[in-house]
Amino acid sequence: MKLSLKRLSGRSMTGGLDLAEAPTPPSPRSAARKTALVSLALVLAIIGALAGGYYFAMRPVTLKIAVGPANSDDLKVVQALTQAFTQTKGHVRLRPLQTDGATASADALAAGKADLAIVRGDVDVPKNAQAVATLRKNVVVMWSVPGKGKKKGAKTTKITKIAQLAGHRVGVVGRTQANVNLLKVILQQYGVDPAKVDIVQFPANEAAEAIRTQKVDAYLAAGPVNSKITSDAIAASAKDGGTPTFLAIDSADAIAQNHPVYEASEIPAGTYGGSPPRPDDEVKTISFSHHIVARKGVSDTTIASFTRQLFAVRQQLVTEFPLAAKIETPDTDKDAVIPAHPGAAAFVDGEEKTFLDKYSDYIWWSLMALSAMGSIGAWFAGYLKKDERNSNSHLRERLLDMISAARKSETTEELDQMQAEADDILRDTLRCFDHGAIEEAALTAFNITLDQFHVAVADRKAVLSSLPQGLQRAGAQFRAAGNA
């Protein structure tokens, strides 16, 4: 519907009042423009909210990872992962938190000081820890060297079995108490009282030099199969005492059965080089894992992203850190020693959710809430304008009454007064439309009524102008007397 203001203004001028001299009423289209702008603003607000939610969900997250000790392979691998995650601009970034070792890292995770940690599977794993990946597997290597532990001229006893270690000195590579506890587990399996064994510990980074100066009968080292520290320790121990004898842990299966953190394993022949090869045949032993664990409270989405990034960059690290090729997915079975984090399990099982999968319900409910709020807002706005709408409805009824009055008017002065009143009604109606109190359909009905009023006024003025002036005055006087 188009309301012609020129047409209405022309008819008003016929009654003696020029609308151009009055304040220009607001355009009827301004209400539609305001509605369009409000709708556009609402759409932009929704888009902005969705964009903000997406940015909030996808912004980089930094996780603190506890790892140690200094100069260890674990720390070097974590530092390489930190750089790789930054270079690939992944969703998850790492911040290494250096500790004194696996036990200290586990304590940091338990205290909430770290989000991730590198821990040994055979230490006390915090209750709030959940497995994300297996960083590497370590094997236990035990060997003896004839004559190393005896004084000059004393009778030497060749140690070929673990059960013969009672009354002897055993050197343990590494300062961690976990390695001592590991030795005690093995001794107890073979009926050897740990109190009857003299245990000496060597710093891992000084093992070769320490072994040359110590007099011990047997040694224990724990590390990757191809560990340089273990290989150097074996070479140092054999330099003055002949060929080392590797002590097989034949009861590995029984130990694994009694202590689920350990697994039965083997050391392949020739693993530690030498001629003849060391060992000269496959040796049965036990192994345990170093795990990357996450604090239980860390978001499933964040851990799933970390796990995905970890295995995506794993091959990039193999050249510098061959051990990176040994990174494995966690055990997702329900009876796993360390339960898998739900985020890591989702990645491993291929059940990782996309952004829409995770947030579609929130988006849908948000849109429904916005729609409901818009409807409630529109109803409330209409309710507030009820009085204005009712007032304008009464004015339209007044305009209808003025049509009948105009057809019976006896003077042009009365018609001019009604025309002026119609102009006020027009101004009020346009203002109501501009405020949104009435709709376009109501404005159309008003336009039709106003047209009829102008026609009635024009017709009546034409009739009055055709009558003699005296007759007009007489008719007016007669009408006034009749009203009296």
Side-chain angles (χ1 to χ4, degrees):
M1 185 284 297
K2 293 184 179 180
L3 182 62
S4 175
L5 292 178
K6 290 182 179 180
R7 177 177 161 196
L8 297 179
S9 298
R11 290 185 176 174
S12 296
M13 291 172 65
T14 60
L17 180 63
D18 190 349
L19 285 179
E21 298 176 356
T24 303
S27 171
R29 297 180 181 176
S30 60
R33 286 197 297 270
K34 282 189 176 181
T35 301
L37 290 175
V38 170
S39 300
L40 178 60
L42 181 61
V43 171
L44 292 177
I46 294 174
I47 294 175
L50 293 176
Y54 180 81
Y55 171 78
F56 180 80
M58 302 306 294
R59 76 191 191 287
V61 177
T62 300
L63 299 178
K64 291 184 291 185
I65 178 168
V67 58
N71 300 320
S72 64
D73 289 339
D74 290 348
L75 179 59
K76 293 177 181 178
V77 170
V78 168
Q79 290 172 338
L81 285 174
T82 302
Q83 295 178 359
F85 283 9
T86 301
Q87 292 172 356
T88 57
K89 298 181 179 180
H91 174 62
V92 176
R93 312 292 172 86
L94 294 178
R95 182 186 302 165
L97 179 64
Q98 186 174 316
T99 64
D100 294 333
T103 301
S105 297
D107 293 340
L109 187 80
K113 297 179 180 179
D115 305 301
L116 301 168
I118 308 298
V119 301
R120 283 179 55 153
D122 60 339
V123 300
D124 291 334
V125 179
K127 294 181 179 180
N128 65 338
Q130 295 178 316
V132 174
T134 299
L135 184 62
R136 58 186 170 89
K137 288 190 175 182
N138 299 322
V139 295
V140 177
V141 185
M142 297 187 70
W143 72 97
S144 66
V145 179
K148 283 289 288 185
K150 296 297 181 181
K151 296 180 180 180
K152 186 176 181 180
K155 183 179 179 181
T156 62
T157 302
K158 184 176 182 180
I159 299 175
T160 59
K161 298 180 180 180
I162 295 175
Q164 298 173 339
L165 290 177
H168 292 274
R169 301 184 75 197
V170 177
V172 176
V173 178
R175 288 293 190 183
T176 175
Q177 182 63 31
N179 285 347
V180 175
N181 295 338
L182 174 59
L183 174 61
K184 291 179 179 180
V185 168
I186 297 172
L187 293 175
Q188 289 171 351
Q189 179 64 36
Y190 285 89
V192 178
D193 185 358
K196 296 181 179 180
V197 176
D198 187 9
I199 300 175
V200 181
Q201 287 187 269
F202 308 135
N205 57 346
E206 301 174 4
E209 182 62 28
I211 287 174
R212 292 190 184 98
T213 61
Q214 294 288 335
K215 298 296 182 179
V216 297
D217 303 298
Y219 302 89
L220 178 146
V225 172
N226 58 349
S227 170
K228 186 177 184 302
I229 293 176
T230 302
S231 181
D232 291 345
I234 293 173
S237 65
K239 186 164 288 188
D240 299 326
T243 302
T245 300
F246 289 87
L247 308 180
I249 305 178
D250 297 319
S251 300
D253 291 322
I255 294 176
Q257 181 69 28
N258 296 328
H259 305 275
V261 294
Y262 298 115
E263 298 179 11
S265 186
E266 296 84 22
I267 302 174
T271 296
Y272 303 108
S275 181
R278 305 169 181 163
D280 58 0
D281 196 4
E282 185 177 84
V283 177
K284 195 167 185 179
T285 185
I286 58 175
S287 64
F288 60 90
S289 298
H290 268 55
H291 301 278
I292 301 177
V293 295
R295 188 165 40 83
K296 187 178 296 184
V298 181
S299 165
D300 294 356
T301 302
T302 300
I303 295 301
S305 298
F306 168 78
T307 310
R308 183 175 62 254
Q309 292 176 210
L310 173 65
F311 287 96
V313 303
R314 178 179 57 177
Q315 294 303 320
Q316 301 176 18
L317 306 179
V318 171
T319 302
E320 186 175 358
F321 300 101
L323 289 177
K326 301 297 184 180
I327 299 177
E328 301 176 357
T329 57
D331 185 358
T332 58
D333 292 341
K334 293 182 178 180
D335 58 349
V337 176
I338 304 178
H341 192 285
F347 170 79
V348 173
D349 298 335
E351 298 177 354
E352 189 177 0
K353 294 182 179 180
T354 64
F355 176 83
L356 289 179
D357 291 336
K358 289 179 287 189
Y359 299 105
S360 59
D361 289 343
Y362 296 103
I363 294 173
W364 187 83
W365 283 111
S366 297
L367 292 175
M368 290 294 293
L370 287 173
S371 177
M373 290 174 62
S375 299
I376 294 173
W379 174 85
F380 187 68
Y383 177 79
L384 293 178
K385 296 173 181 177
K386 180 179 67 174
D387 293 340
E388 189 175 1
R389 187 165 54 251
N390 292 337
S391 176
N392 184 260
S393 178
H394 292 315
L395 291 177
R396 189 170 65 243
E397 293 296 330
R398 168 59 182 159
L399 190 60
L400 288 171
D401 294 338
M402 288 167 59
I403 293 175
S404 300
R407 289 172 180 164
K408 299 175 181 179
S409 178
E410 298 295 339
T411 64
T412 57
E413 287 78 4
E414 291 181 358
L415 294 175
D416 290 341
Q417 291 176 0
M418 284 188 284
Q419 183 68 62
E421 187 177 354
D423 291 340
D424 292 337
I425 295 174
L426 170 62
R427 187 176 294 105
D428 183 87
T429 300
L430 293 178
R431 184 170 56 251
C432 289
F433 180 72
D434 189 55
H435 293 169
I438 61 174
E439 299 179 354
E440 190 170 357
L443 190 62
T444 301
F446 172 79
N447 186 38
I448 295 173
T449 305
L450 189 61
D451 282 345
Q452 293 300 314
F453 172 74
H454 284 311
V455 170
V457 170
D459 291 345
R460 188 58 182 172
K461 282 189 175 183
V463 171
L464 292 177
S465 62
S466 65
L467 296 176
Q469 195 70 21
L471 185 58
Q472 291 185 30
R473 286 196 298 269
Q477 293 173 358
F478 177 77
R479 184 182 180 89
N483 291 335

Short mmCIF file of all heavy atoms in Angstrom, two decimals, residues 96-152:
data_model
loop_
_atom_site.label_atom_id
_atom_site.label_comp_id
_atom_site.label_asym_id
_atom_site.label_seq_id
_atom_site.Cartn_x
_atom_site.Cartn_y
_atom_site.Cartn_z
N PRO A 96 56.37 -26.88 28.87
CA PRO A 96 57.05 -27.87 29.72
C PRO A 96 57.26 -27.35 31.14
O PRO A 96 57.61 -26.19 31.35
CB PRO A 96 58.38 -28.09 29.00
CG PRO A 96 58.14 -27.67 27.59
CD PRO A 96 57.17 -26.54 27.68
N LEU A 97 57.04 -28.22 32.11
CA LEU A 97 57.28 -27.93 33.52
C LEU A 97 58.30 -28.95 34.00
O LEU A 97 57.97 -30.11 34.25
CB LEU A 97 55.97 -28.03 34.32
CG LEU A 97 56.05 -27.78 35.83
CD1 LEU A 97 56.48 -26.35 36.10
CD2 LEU A 97 54.72 -28.08 36.48
N GLN A 98 59.56 -28.53 34.09
CA GLN A 98 60.64 -29.47 34.40
C GLN A 98 60.59 -29.90 35.86
O GLN A 98 60.42 -29.08 36.76
CB GLN A 98 62.00 -28.82 34.08
CG GLN A 98 63.17 -29.78 34.24
CD GLN A 98 64.47 -29.16 33.77
OE1 GLN A 98 64.53 -28.53 32.74
NE2 GLN A 98 65.53 -29.33 34.57
N THR A 99 60.76 -31.21 36.08
CA THR A 99 60.75 -31.78 37.43
C THR A 99 62.00 -32.63 37.64
O THR A 99 62.83 -32.77 36.74
CB THR A 99 59.49 -32.65 37.65
OG1 THR A 99 59.54 -33.78 36.75
CG2 THR A 99 58.23 -31.84 37.37
N ASP A 100 62.11 -33.22 38.82
CA ASP A 100 63.27 -34.06 39.13
C ASP A 100 63.14 -35.48 38.58
O ASP A 100 64.11 -36.25 38.65
CB ASP A 100 63.48 -34.12 40.65
CG ASP A 100 63.86 -32.76 41.22
OD1 ASP A 100 64.45 -31.95 40.47
OD2 ASP A 100 63.57 -32.51 42.40
N GLY A 101 61.98 -35.83 38.09
CA GLY A 101 61.80 -37.18 37.56
C GLY A 101 60.34 -37.55 37.46
O GLY A 101 59.44 -36.72 37.70
N ALA A 102 60.10 -38.82 37.10
CA ALA A 102 58.73 -39.28 36.88
C ALA A 102 57.87 -39.17 38.14
O ALA A 102 56.69 -38.81 38.07
CB ALA A 102 58.74 -40.73 36.38
N THR A 103 58.46 -39.45 39.30
CA THR A 103 57.69 -39.37 40.55
C THR A 103 57.29 -37.93 40.84
O THR A 103 56.14 -37.66 41.23
CB THR A 103 58.51 -39.93 41.72
OG1 THR A 103 58.86 -41.29 41.44
CG2 THR A 103 57.72 -39.87 43.01
N ALA A 104 58.20 -37.00 40.65
CA ALA A 104 57.89 -35.59 40.87
C ALA A 104 56.86 -35.10 39.86
O ALA A 104 56.00 -34.28 40.18
CB ALA A 104 59.17 -34.75 40.77
N SER A 105 56.93 -35.60 38.64
CA SER A 105 55.94 -35.23 37.62
C SER A 105 54.55 -35.72 38.02
O SER A 105 53.55 -35.00 37.86
CB SER A 105 56.34 -35.81 36.27
OG SER A 105 57.57 -35.29 35.83
N ALA A 106 54.50 -36.94 38.54
CA ALA A 106 53.22 -37.47 39.00
C ALA A 106 52.66 -36.64 40.15
O ALA A 106 51.46 -36.37 40.21
CB ALA A 106 53.38 -38.93 39.43
N ASP A 107 53.54 -36.20 41.05
CA ASP A 107 53.10 -35.37 42.17
C ASP A 107 52.56 -34.03 41.68
O ASP A 107 51.58 -33.50 42.22
CB ASP A 107 54.25 -35.15 43.15
CG ASP A 107 54.67 -36.44 43.86
OD1 ASP A 107 53.86 -37.39 43.89
OD2 ASP A 107 55.81 -36.50 44.36
N ALA A 108 53.20 -33.45 40.66
CA ALA A 108 52.74 -32.17 40.11
C ALA A 108 51.35 -32.31 39.50
O ALA A 108 50.50 -31.42 39.64
CB ALA A 108 53.73 -31.66 39.07
N LEU A 109 51.12 -33.43 38.83
CA LEU A 109 49.80 -33.66 38.24
C LEU A 109 48.76 -33.85 39.34
O LEU A 109 47.65 -33.30 39.26
CB LEU A 109 49.83 -34.89 37.33
CG LEU A 109 48.55 -35.13 36.53
CD1 LEU A 109 48.52 -34.22 35.30
CD2 LEU A 109 48.43 -36.59 36.10
N ALA A 110 49.11 -34.61 40.36
CA ALA A 110 48.17 -34.86 41.46
C ALA A 110 47.80 -33.57 42.18
O ALA A 110 46.66 -33.40 42.63
CB ALA A 110 48.76 -35.86 42.44
N ALA A 111 48.75 -32.63 42.27
CA ALA A 111 48.51 -31.37 42.96
C ALA A 111 47.81 -30.35 42.08
O ALA A 111 47.52 -29.24 42.53
CB ALA A 111 49.83 -30.81 43.47
N GLY A 112 47.57 -30.68 40.82
CA GLY A 112 46.90 -29.76 39.91
C GLY A 112 47.82 -28.69 39.34
O GLY A 112 47.35 -27.73 38.73
N LYS A 113 49.15 -28.86 39.52
CA LYS A 113 50.09 -27.88 38.98
C LYS A 113 50.37 -28.11 37.50
O LYS A 113 50.98 -27.26 36.85
CB LYS A 113 51.41 -27.94 39.77
CG LYS A 113 51.26 -27.58 41.24
CD LYS A 113 52.58 -27.69 41.97
CE LYS A 113 52.43 -27.34 43.45
NZ LYS A 113 53.73 -27.47 44.18
N ALA A 114 49.97 -29.26 36.98
CA ALA A 114 50.20 -29.58 35.58
C ALA A 114 48.95 -30.22 35.00
O ALA A 114 48.14 -30.82 35.73
CB ALA A 114 51.40 -30.52 35.42
N ASP A 115 48.78 -30.06 33.70
CA ASP A 115 47.64 -30.68 33.00
C ASP A 115 48.01 -32.05 32.44
O ASP A 115 47.17 -32.93 32.33
CB ASP A 115 47.18 -29.76 31.85
CG ASP A 115 46.85 -28.36 32.33
OD1 ASP A 115 45.98 -28.25 33.20
OD2 ASP A 115 47.48 -27.40 31.85
N LEU A 116 49.29 -32.19 32.07
CA LEU A 116 49.82 -33.44 31.54
C LEU A 116 51.08 -33.78 32.31
O LEU A 116 51.71 -32.91 32.92
CB LEU A 116 50.14 -33.31 30.05
CG LEU A 116 49.01 -32.94 29.09
CD1 LEU A 116 49.58 -32.58 27.73
CD2 LEU A 116 48.02 -34.09 28.96
N ALA A 117 51.48 -35.05 32.24
CA ALA A 117 52.72 -35.46 32.90
C ALA A 117 53.25 -36.72 32.23
O ALA A 117 52.48 -37.51 31.67
CB ALA A 117 52.49 -35.70 34.40
N ILE A 118 54.58 -36.87 32.29
CA ILE A 118 55.23 -38.11 31.83
C ILE A 118 55.53 -38.92 33.09
O ILE A 118 56.32 -38.49 33.95
CB ILE A 118 56.53 -37.83 31.06
CG1 ILE A 118 56.30 -36.81 29.94
CG2 ILE A 118 57.10 -39.13 30.51
CD1 ILE A 118 55.33 -37.27 28.88
N VAL A 119 54.91 -40.08 33.22
CA VAL A 119 55.07 -40.90 34.43
C VAL A 119 55.46 -42.31 34.05
O VAL A 119 55.19 -42.78 32.94
CB VAL A 119 53.77 -40.91 35.27
CG1 VAL A 119 53.37 -39.51 35.68
CG2 VAL A 119 52.63 -41.59 34.50
N ARG A 120 56.10 -42.98 34.98
CA ARG A 120 56.42 -44.40 34.82
C ARG A 120 55.22 -45.23 35.25
O ARG A 120 54.54 -44.91 36.23
CB ARG A 120 57.63 -44.78 35.68
CG ARG A 120 58.94 -44.36 35.12
CD ARG A 120 60.10 -44.73 36.02
NE ARG A 120 60.16 -46.15 36.37
CZ ARG A 120 61.28 -46.79 36.68
NH1 ARG A 120 62.44 -46.14 36.69
NH2 ARG A 120 61.27 -48.07 37.00
N GLY A 121 54.99 -46.29 34.51
CA GLY A 121 53.85 -47.12 34.83
C GLY A 121 53.99 -47.88 36.13
O GLY A 121 52.99 -48.34 36.69
N ASP A 122 55.24 -48.03 36.64
CA ASP A 122 55.44 -48.81 37.85
C ASP A 122 55.58 -47.95 39.10
O ASP A 122 55.97 -48.44 40.16
CB ASP A 122 56.67 -49.72 37.72
CG ASP A 122 57.95 -48.94 37.47
OD1 ASP A 122 57.85 -47.78 37.02
OD2 ASP A 122 59.04 -49.49 37.71
N VAL A 123 55.28 -46.66 39.00
CA VAL A 123 55.24 -45.82 40.19
C VAL A 123 53.78 -45.59 40.55
O VAL A 123 52.87 -45.98 39.82
CB VAL A 123 55.95 -44.46 39.95
CG1 VAL A 123 57.40 -44.69 39.58
CG2 VAL A 123 55.24 -43.65 38.89
N ASP A 124 53.56 -44.95 41.69
CA ASP A 124 52.19 -44.67 42.11
C ASP A 124 51.59 -43.61 41.20
O ASP A 124 51.94 -42.42 41.29
CB ASP A 124 52.17 -44.20 43.57
CG ASP A 124 52.54 -45.32 44.53
OD1 ASP A 124 52.33 -46.49 44.16
OD2 ASP A 124 53.05 -45.02 45.63
N VAL A 125 50.71 -44.02 40.32
CA VAL A 125 50.07 -43.10 39.39
C VAL A 125 48.95 -42.36 40.13
O VAL A 125 48.16 -42.99 40.83
CB VAL A 125 49.49 -43.85 38.16
CG1 VAL A 125 48.80 -42.88 37.21
CG2 VAL A 125 50.61 -44.59 37.45
N PRO A 126 48.88 -41.03 40.01
CA PRO A 126 47.83 -40.28 40.72
C PRO A 126 46.43 -40.77 40.35
O PRO A 126 46.19 -41.22 39.22
CB PRO A 126 48.06 -38.84 40.25
CG PRO A 126 49.48 -38.80 39.82
CD PRO A 126 49.78 -40.16 39.26
N LYS A 127 45.53 -40.67 41.29
CA LYS A 127 44.16 -41.13 41.05
C LYS A 127 43.45 -40.27 40.00
O LYS A 127 42.49 -40.73 39.37
CB LYS A 127 43.36 -41.11 42.35
CG LYS A 127 43.86 -42.12 43.38
CD LYS A 127 43.02 -42.08 44.65
CE LYS A 127 43.51 -43.11 45.67
NZ LYS A 127 42.71 -43.08 46.92
N ASN A 128 43.90 -39.04 39.84
CA ASN A 128 43.26 -38.17 38.85
C ASN A 128 43.93 -38.22 37.49
O ASN A 128 43.69 -37.38 36.64
CB ASN A 128 43.25 -36.72 39.35
CG ASN A 128 44.65 -36.13 39.49
OD1 ASN A 128 45.63 -36.87 39.62
ND2 ASN A 128 44.74 -34.81 39.46
N ALA A 129 44.82 -39.22 37.30
CA ALA A 129 45.54 -39.35 36.03
C ALA A 129 44.83 -40.34 35.11
O ALA A 129 44.37 -41.41 35.53
CB ALA A 129 46.97 -39.81 36.28
N GLN A 130 44.76 -39.98 33.83
CA GLN A 130 44.19 -40.85 32.81
C GLN A 130 45.13 -40.88 31.61
O GLN A 130 45.69 -39.85 31.22
CB GLN A 130 42.80 -40.35 32.39
CG GLN A 130 41.76 -40.43 33.50
CD GLN A 130 40.41 -39.89 33.08
OE1 GLN A 130 40.31 -38.86 32.43
NE2 GLN A 130 39.35 -40.60 33.45
N ALA A 131 45.31 -42.07 31.04
CA ALA A 131 46.31 -42.26 29.99
C ALA A 131 45.90 -41.57 28.70
O ALA A 131 44.74 -41.59 28.30
CB ALA A 131 46.51 -43.75 29.74
N VAL A 132 46.89 -40.96 28.05
CA VAL A 132 46.70 -40.31 26.75
C VAL A 132 47.49 -41.04 25.67
O VAL A 132 47.01 -41.21 24.55
CB VAL A 132 47.12 -38.83 26.82
CG1 VAL A 132 47.05 -38.18 25.44
CG2 VAL A 132 46.24 -38.08 27.81
N ALA A 133 48.71 -41.45 26.01
CA ALA A 133 49.55 -42.18 25.04
C ALA A 133 50.64 -42.90 25.81
O ALA A 133 50.96 -42.57 26.96
CB ALA A 133 50.16 -41.22 24.02
N THR A 134 51.22 -43.92 25.17
CA THR A 134 52.38 -44.60 25.71
C THR A 134 53.60 -44.02 25.02
O THR A 134 53.77 -44.17 23.81
CB THR A 134 52.31 -46.12 25.45
OG1 THR A 134 51.14 -46.65 26.11
CG2 THR A 134 53.54 -46.82 26.00
N LEU A 135 54.44 -43.31 25.78
CA LEU A 135 55.58 -42.62 25.19
C LEU A 135 56.64 -43.62 24.75
O LEU A 135 57.20 -43.51 23.65
CB LEU A 135 56.16 -41.62 26.19
CG LEU A 135 57.30 -40.75 25.69
CD1 LEU A 135 56.84 -39.88 24.53
CD2 LEU A 135 57.82 -39.87 26.83
N ARG A 136 56.94 -44.57 25.60
CA ARG A 136 57.94 -45.59 25.26
C ARG A 136 57.84 -46.75 26.25
O ARG A 136 57.23 -46.62 27.32
CB ARG A 136 59.35 -45.02 25.28
CG ARG A 136 59.77 -44.41 26.61
CD ARG A 136 61.13 -43.74 26.48
NE ARG A 136 61.48 -42.94 27.64
CZ ARG A 136 62.12 -43.38 28.71
NH1 ARG A 136 62.48 -44.66 28.77
NH2 ARG A 136 62.44 -42.59 29.71
N LYS A 137 58.46 -47.86 25.88
CA LYS A 137 58.54 -49.02 26.76
C LYS A 137 60.00 -49.26 27.15
O LYS A 137 60.90 -49.19 26.32
CB LYS A 137 57.96 -50.26 26.09
CG LYS A 137 56.44 -50.21 25.96
CD LYS A 137 55.88 -51.53 25.50
CE LYS A 137 54.35 -51.49 25.49
NZ LYS A 137 53.75 -52.79 25.10
N ASN A 138 60.20 -49.54 28.42
CA ASN A 138 61.54 -49.80 28.95
C ASN A 138 61.68 -51.27 29.32
O ASN A 138 60.73 -51.87 29.86
CB ASN A 138 61.80 -48.95 30.20
CG ASN A 138 61.72 -47.46 29.91
OD1 ASN A 138 62.16 -47.02 28.86
ND2 ASN A 138 61.17 -46.71 30.83
N VAL A 139 62.83 -51.81 29.04
CA VAL A 139 63.11 -53.19 29.44
C VAL A 139 64.12 -53.19 30.58
O VAL A 139 64.93 -52.27 30.71
CB VAL A 139 63.65 -54.03 28.27
CG1 VAL A 139 62.60 -54.17 27.18
CG2 VAL A 139 64.93 -53.43 27.70
N VAL A 140 64.06 -54.20 31.41
CA VAL A 140 65.00 -54.36 32.52
C VAL A 140 66.15 -55.24 32.04
O VAL A 140 65.93 -56.34 31.52
CB VAL A 140 64.30 -55.00 33.74
CG1 VAL A 140 65.31 -55.22 34.86
CG2 VAL A 140 63.15 -54.12 34.20
N VAL A 141 67.35 -54.73 32.23
CA VAL A 141 68.56 -55.48 31.84
C VAL A 141 69.37 -55.75 33.11
O VAL A 141 69.74 -54.81 33.83
CB VAL A 141 69.41 -54.69 30.82
CG1 VAL A 141 70.59 -55.55 30.35
CG2 VAL A 141 68.56 -54.26 29.64
N MET A 142 69.65 -57.03 33.36
CA MET A 142 70.48 -57.42 34.50
C MET A 142 71.65 -58.24 33.98
O MET A 142 71.47 -59.13 33.13
CB MET A 142 69.67 -58.23 35.52
CG MET A 142 68.53 -57.44 36.15
SD MET A 142 67.71 -58.35 37.49
CE MET A 142 69.00 -58.34 38.75
N TRP A 143 72.84 -57.94 34.47
CA TRP A 143 74.02 -58.68 34.03
C TRP A 143 75.08 -58.71 35.14
O TRP A 143 75.03 -57.90 36.08
CB TRP A 143 74.59 -58.07 32.75
CG TRP A 143 75.29 -56.73 32.92
CD1 TRP A 143 76.63 -56.51 33.06
CD2 TRP A 143 74.68 -55.43 32.97
NE1 TRP A 143 76.90 -55.18 33.20
CE2 TRP A 143 75.72 -54.48 33.13
CE3 TRP A 143 73.36 -54.98 32.90
CZ2 TRP A 143 75.49 -53.11 33.22
CZ3 TRP A 143 73.12 -53.63 32.98
CH2 TRP A 143 74.17 -52.69 33.14
N SER A 144 75.96 -59.60 35.02
CA SER A 144 77.07 -59.72 35.98
C SER A 144 78.38 -59.83 35.20
O SER A 144 78.39 -60.22 34.03
CB SER A 144 76.89 -60.96 36.88
OG SER A 144 76.98 -62.14 36.10
N VAL A 145 79.49 -59.46 35.90
CA VAL A 145 80.81 -59.55 35.28
C VAL A 145 81.74 -60.28 36.26
O VAL A 145 81.90 -59.82 37.40
CB VAL A 145 81.37 -58.16 34.94
CG1 VAL A 145 82.77 -58.29 34.32
CG2 VAL A 145 80.44 -57.42 34.01
N PRO A 146 82.33 -61.40 35.91
CA PRO A 146 83.17 -62.17 36.84
C PRO A 146 84.34 -61.33 37.37
O PRO A 146 85.02 -60.63 36.61
CB PRO A 146 83.69 -63.34 35.98
CG PRO A 146 82.68 -63.46 34.88
CD PRO A 146 82.21 -62.07 34.61
N GLY A 147 84.54 -61.39 38.67
CA GLY A 147 85.70 -60.76 39.28
C GLY A 147 85.53 -59.30 39.62
O GLY A 147 86.36 -58.72 40.32
N LYS A 148 84.48 -58.60 39.17
CA LYS A 148 84.34 -57.15 39.40
C LYS A 148 84.11 -56.84 40.88
O LYS A 148 84.56 -55.83 41.37
CB LYS A 148 83.17 -56.58 38.57
CG LYS A 148 83.50 -56.40 37.11
CD LYS A 148 84.46 -55.25 36.90
CE LYS A 148 83.79 -53.91 37.12
NZ LYS A 148 84.71 -52.80 36.80
N GLY A 149 83.44 -57.73 41.57
CA GLY A 149 83.09 -57.39 42.96
C GLY A 149 84.03 -57.98 43.99
O GLY A 149 83.78 -57.85 45.17
N LYS A 150 85.08 -58.64 43.58
CA LYS A 150 85.95 -59.31 44.55
C LYS A 150 87.30 -58.60 44.68
O LYS A 150 87.78 -57.97 43.73
CB LYS A 150 86.20 -60.77 44.12
CG LYS A 150 84.92 -61.60 44.10
CD LYS A 150 84.32 -61.73 45.48
CE LYS A 150 83.05 -62.57 45.47
NZ LYS A 150 82.46 -62.68 46.81
N LYS A 151 87.87 -58.73 45.84
CA LYS A 151 89.21 -58.19 46.04
C LYS A 151 90.23 -59.06 45.34
O LYS A 151 90.00 -60.22 45.05
CB LYS A 151 89.52 -58.12 47.53
CG LYS A 151 88.62 -57.15 48.29
CD LYS A 151 89.00 -57.12 49.76
CE LYS A 151 88.11 -56.16 50.53
NZ LYS A 151 88.45 -56.11 51.97
N LYS A 152 91.39 -58.49 45.10
CA LYS A 152 92.44 -59.20 44.40
C LYS A 152 92.87 -60.43 45.18
O LYS A 152 93.12 -60.38 46.37
CB LYS A 152 93.64 -58.26 44.19
CG LYS A 152 94.73 -58.88 43.33
CD LYS A 152 95.84 -57.87 43.09
CE LYS A 152 96.91 -58.50 42.20
NZ LYS A 152 98.02 -57.53 41.94
#
